[in-house]
Amino acid sequence: MSAPAPSTLAIVDAEPLPRQDEVLTEAALAFVAELHRLFTPRRDELLARRTERRAEIARTSSLDFLPDTAQIREGDWKVAPAPAALNDRRVEITGPTDRKMTINALNSGAKVWLADFEDASAPTWENVVLGQLNLIDAYERRIDFASPQGKTYALKPAEELATVVMRPRGWHLDERHLRADGRAVPGALVDFGLYFFHNAQRLIDLGKGPYFYLPKTESHLEARLWNDIFVFAQDYVGIPQGTVRATVLIETITAAYEMEEILYELRDHAAGLNAGRWDYLFSIVKNFRDGGQKFVLPDRNAVTMTAPFMRAYTELLVRTCHKRGAHAIGGMAAFIPSRRDAEVNKVAFEKVKADKDREAGDGFDGSWVAHPDLVPIAMASFDAVLGSRPNQKDRLREDVSVAPGDLIAIDSLDARPTYEGLRNAVQVGIRYIEAWLRGLGAVAIFDLMEDAATAEISRSQIWQWINAGVVFEHDGKPVRATAELAREVAAQELAAIRAEAGEAAFAAGKWQQAHDLLLQVSLDADYADFLTLPAYEQLAG
């Protein structure tokens, strides 16, 4: 790759890792520093704009489609046609980029692997750097390895491997181990920059390209920033404009009102939109947390994709994507099959099938799973609708009509928060945060693969229920959600974990720390925008 002579380098401030010099090359660090110099100031402005918009939502308790961009919604335009490697996306598997997962995901039979540096990966420096190294090794076919138990892992032939779509961190997170111009570089630019610099040409040579999932986008202006980054990056390494393709996760309530504008900003680089369920619910609570009873969400497991406001969101997404020639990708099947309980699997597999049947029937072009055993189930649902066609973008869903209020009609769902829902939120929150603090971002809890988004919805619901004065039924009598009740439930859960794990294992973990952090972000009067911000300060490595 040819590139301008480096003017400054991003400075690494971390203990050395094995083979890090293959990732943290002088040329790659110069590229990351240039991204930082050119684009971090705009990132900062956009984060400030998020705060202003949230204050406006707090004042009005409403959202609407943007009047200033009506001409884009009414215009006749399409995104660039999908490259061959991204034209059939009927099943996508998600997961972090550790060595074993890299091989298993690529071999899974899914069409796409979301290689995750975001919510399924705790951002230790080791995960950040070695995850990049694992992807390079995969493209060079030198990733085979044996586990300590003697099991061997090796890649299948190239034509059988999933296409990689890499997800960098969201805009809000900085990378403390990489600094330029006297400050930490945004994690998004570190993840994107290292991956793009090392792999753009490698992927072109493999008949694919540098493809990305963009997380936690809140506005079309944030999509515009990414588009400008793509334009600059492609020129920097000398590859054709339009080689990069991005799929945007519509996982914030504000982005749901700007789907067309987001596709428009990225149109030469757009591949589609995805319906990210847990972060979407988290975003609703975060933005409307002080909007009163009308915006109180029930237990997270009671909010299915058939809830009226969730139907409005997913149907609008399909219609928007297909109108503009983009792929519409459905939500996550997070179930983790049990090796011990066939009955649990049977019930769960039926739910997964029903969910994927619904998505395929609604017009989605593909969907997500968290485990290789779910790939065949999801594949069958989409095969039944698609047959040999790569997608169903010809289904324009012109029957769909979504009014602004439909997307935030939370009270259209006939369900209420429960005491058991509070207990589950505490359980999942403590167990997930404990694993995250040990460097694990994708964690199996109660037969579900949880990532940071599920911890965010857990702590947000505790916060909302307390501040809205929700009353539960418990042991036949009403109990108000209070900080004291949350502390009591958390203490019970911590004691239960200690008894379950045993004293030695409990002491070796980060359970008390996780318990304290969950209560901090659930009970503080000042609601933390992201759990991962205070958690990152406590993350070792």
Side-chain angles (χ1 to χ4, degrees), residues 416-461:
R416 297 287 303 150
T418 69
Y419 179 84
E420 274 307 305
L422 173 67
R423 203 165 80 84
N424 181 259
V426 170
Q427 286 178 311
V428 170
I430 291 175
R431 289 165 192 259
Y432 181 81
I433 293 170
E434 193 277 337
W436 196 93
L437 292 172
R438 288 187 289 109
L440 299 174
V443 188
I445 303 173
F446 307 142
D447 298 319
L448 293 176
M449 184 60 76
E450 307 285 19
D451 69 8
T454 46
E456 292 283 26
I457 184 67
S458 294
R459 65 95 180 189
S460 298
Q461 291 201 286

Side-chain angles (χ1 to χ4, degrees), residues 110-125:
K111 297 291 186 180
V112 165
W113 170 36
L114 184 156
D116 201 8
F117 287 83
E118 201 233 358
D119 273 4
S121 180
T124 63
W125 186 234

